[in-house]
Structures are given as C-alpha cells and as structure tokens.
Amino acid sequence: MTEAGTGKRVLLAKPRGYCAGVDRAVQTVEEALKLYGAPIYVRKQIVHNKHVVRTLEAKGAIFVEENEEVPEGATVIFSAHGVAPEVYEQAKERSLKAIDATCPLVTKVHQEAKRFAAEDYDILLIGHEGHEEVIGTAGEAPQHIQLVDGPEDADRITVRDPNKVVWLSQTTLSVDETMETVARLKKRLPMLQSPPSDDICYATSNRQHVVKEIAAECDVVIVVGSRNSSNSVRLVEVALDAGARAGHLVDFAHEIDDAWLVGAQTVGLTSGASVPDELVQEVLTHLAERGYTDVEEVVTANERLTFSLPQELKRDMKAAAAARS
C-alpha cells in the first residue's frame, strides 16, 4: 500500500542479483569448505561483492592475490572471473589442488580466444584494463590479443591483416557501449568479424535491459553492488543514460544518503549479478521507513539457467558420499 498522500514508490527491477555463474562460484566455495574443511584458499575475490567475501571468510575461506600465498599441497579455488593458463601451471608447481570456479560463459570466451589464435587471427578484446576477466582471457593468447578499452580506444588499433581480425568482449560490459566500440572499429576495419555468439552474458544484458525500462520514470536509481563489480558500475551508467535523474551505487542500505531522496517520488532499485537478494531486501526496508512503501516489481525476463559445480569438486563429493554409504 502507498503511504497516504506521499505517492512515494519503488520500481524494483527483475532480473536482479545473483546470476548462474555467481551462484555456482559461491556454492563451490561453500561445498569445498564442507567437504575438505577450513581453511580453503581462494585466489582473488570469488565474486566482486564485499558481503559475499566477508560471509565466506567467516566460514573459513582465505582470500589471496596469488598462488604463492597458498601453502604447498593446499586446496585453492580460482574465482568466477577466470585465470590465464600460467596460473594453472603455477598451481601445479606448488602441488595445489586447484578447483576452477570460472563462470562457464567466461570459459566460452577463453575457448573463442584460443580458437581464433590457432587460426592466426588478430583478436580485439573489448574490456576494461586490469579487470581480472580481461587478464585471464588475454592470457590465453597474449601474442594475438589487443585490448580495446572503450570507443575512444578504437582509433589506435593496428592489425597485421585487416581481413583476418575478430572482436571478443568481457562478459560484464555495457551492451550499448560495446556496440558503439564495435561500430568505431568497423569504420577502420570493415572486415572485422564478430564472435560466433554474444560474449556479453545473458545476466548482464538482462539487468541492463530492465534498468532501461524503468530509468526514465525514476528520480533516483539505487544499484546495490560493490565498486569493483564491473556489471554493477555499468548499471548506474545505464540508468543515467536511459533517463534517470540520479544514480548511486551502494554495498549496503546504511550507505544511502537521505539527501538523495529529497524530492524523489520514484526510486528505482536493482542489484549487480554478484549481490545476494538479502541486501536488496534491506534497502527496501530502509526505503519503506522513509515512506517508500509502494513497491512495484518490473519484470522483463525470467532466468532459469543453472550451471553444475566444477567436475573436480563433484567427483570428490561423489567419492565422499560413496565412502559414507
């Protein structure tokens, strides 16, 4: 019910929050902790979300930057963002039990990179410099891959053969900005080939699409997500580009500044693909306490995709179950 006379409302975006790749990665750490016991080492943040990392740390996960920080012979999980082949080699050298929690959609981009490199293509990888996913993909074929960080980067690219060049992309980019970059590249390289299927993941696209649907009606859009989460940061940008008067990224409800809500009748609310829904519910409670009690969920897609756990973990879980029976 709308609070009498206020007219304040929340447009709650759906899809929002956890995607299949994030769900799989988090579950991988939780199941590994149950199966092998703490501590379990995780290289990099398993997903880019403060709350998730803190929760897993409390259960016994230890997050490290590199394999060298993991004791020899211990178990290490590679994050959802993917790693370069050399990371697997380093793990072998230290006799680490490696479990790969890379999102299967990121793995798909890695396979594309390897295939085009084997065919001696120049590969233009659209993505953000320094992002873990970009580092992992580029590591599959460093001699063939050039990074293109946004449309303005397109003009500096040089290739060996303009007839043998393909673009790939980081999975968590803005769909619109990526296509703008591709358009700029094609002006210079008319024969530029596209990946065999869309590299930007379904969840990223879906979350951006619903934000575009609600943005023009919103005085402010609040995105729940961490600052190092590429897809969460993009959602704020997409909201502003689509007509929202203001947009803000927060990890937790208590970070919302009441000044953002002054004069705001309609608040849009969504969350990045690595955000558990409990954090969104806390924001809804926070907003309700400030008069935003009319909540309308705007649904543009229903996501049913799930990914199975990594093979090496499933194998050990099966063996443990057999030993108990």
Side-chain angles (χ1 to χ4, degrees):
M1 293 291 292
T2 305
E3 197 169 281
T6 67
K8 292 179 175 180
R9 63 174 182 156
V10 178
L11 296 181
L12 179 61
K14 186 178 178 183
R16 63 181 180 275
Y18 269 16
C19 62
V22 165
D23 196 33
R24 172 184 186 264
V26 174
Q27 197 182 345
T28 296
V29 179
E30 291 173 339
E31 292 296 337
L33 284 163
K34 285 183 207 166
L35 186 61
Y36 309 120
I40 293 292
Y41 293 84
V42 184
R43 184 184 178 277
K44 309 289 186 184
Q45 291 190 357
I46 186 69
V47 297
H48 287 157
N49 184 262
K50 276 186 191 176
H51 175 78
V52 170
V53 169
R54 288 175 189 170
T55 302
L56 292 174
E57 280 177 333
K59 293 179 179 179
I62 296 175
F63 291 88
V64 299
E65 284 301 302
E66 299 299 343
N67 287 337
E68 289 75 35
E69 299 169 61
V70 181
E72 288 203 16
T75 298
V76 63
I77 296 175
F78 298 146
S79 82
H81 308 104
V83 297
E86 65 188 42
V87 176
Y88 293 99
E89 293 306 315
Q90 292 163 0
K92 274 185 195 169
E93 288 166 13
R94 294 182 60 77
S95 302
L96 302 180
K97 179 183 180 63
I99 297 173
D100 185 6
T102 301
C103 173
L105 299 179
V106 174
T107 300
K108 176 181 78 75
V109 181
H110 282 226
Q111 298 301 337
E112 290 170 353
K114 286 193 279 191
R115 180 164 70 81
F116 284 112
E119 295 171 12
D120 202 31
Y121 273 75
D122 278 355
I123 301 166
L124 305 182
L125 177 60
I126 301 172
H128 296 303
E129 187 168 5
H131 190 279
E132 286 157 43
E133 186 185 324
V134 165
I135 293 168
T137 302
E140 295 286 2
Q143 305 306 313
H144 290 263
I145 290 177
Q146 294 179 67
L147 180 65
V148 186
D149 194 344
E152 63 288 341
D153 233 14
D155 298 335
R156 64 163 186 79
I157 295 301
T158 58
V159 297
R160 294 169 299 157
D161 179 355
N163 296 308
K164 205 166 185 184
V165 58
V166 64
W167 69 270
L168 303 177
S169 85
Q170 182 181 330
T171 62
T172 54
L173 299 180
S174 156
V175 177
D176 293 341
E177 185 180 332
T178 300
M179 297 323 295
E180 186 186 337
T181 303
V182 171
R184 285 274 284 272
L185 287 168
K186 281 190 172 176
K187 278 185 182 174
R188 297 188 55 228
L189 301 163
M191 300 303 291
L192 178 69
Q193 291 189 40
S194 298
S197 61
D198 195 356
D199 283 348
I200 294 177
C201 92
Y202 77 97
T204 298
S205 301
N206 286 347
R207 280 148 191 70
Q208 290 177 14
H209 178 68
V210 67
V211 164
K212 285 182 189 177
E213 289 287 309
I214 66 173
E217 292 185 62
C218 296
D219 298 301
V220 59
V221 170
I222 294 171
V223 178
V224 184
S226 293
R227 300 204 173 278
N228 64 339
S229 165
S230 177
N231 76 88
S232 299
V233 172
R234 299 290 84 73
L235 285 172
V236 177
E237 295 171 356
V238 167
L240 293 170
D241 288 345
R245 261 71 79 197
H248 301 282
L249 182 67
V250 298
D251 266 296
F252 304 103
H254 67 78
E255 295 175 4
I256 296 170
D257 186 338
D258 282 343
W260 301 345
L261 305 176
V262 172
Q265 290 296 105
T266 301
V267 175
L269 177 59
T270 189
S271 58
S274 49
V275 178
D277 206 52
E278 66 193 83
L279 299 183
V280 175
Q281 297 307 316
E282 287 170 9
V283 171
L284 283 172
T285 299
H286 182 93
L287 292 172
E289 289 166 355
R290 284 150 183 80
Y292 296 88
T293 50
D294 179 15
V295 179
E296 178 188 341
E297 191 166 56
V298 179
V299 184
T300 57
N302 286 302
E303 296 176 349
R304 296 187 176 86
L305 185 66
T306 58
F307 295 131
S308 64
L309 292 169
Q311 288 297 328
E312 54 272 49
L313 180 59
K314 283 204 302 187
R315 189 170 55 242
D316 287 355
M317 289 169 69
K318 190 174 178 182
R324 286 194 300 270
S325 61

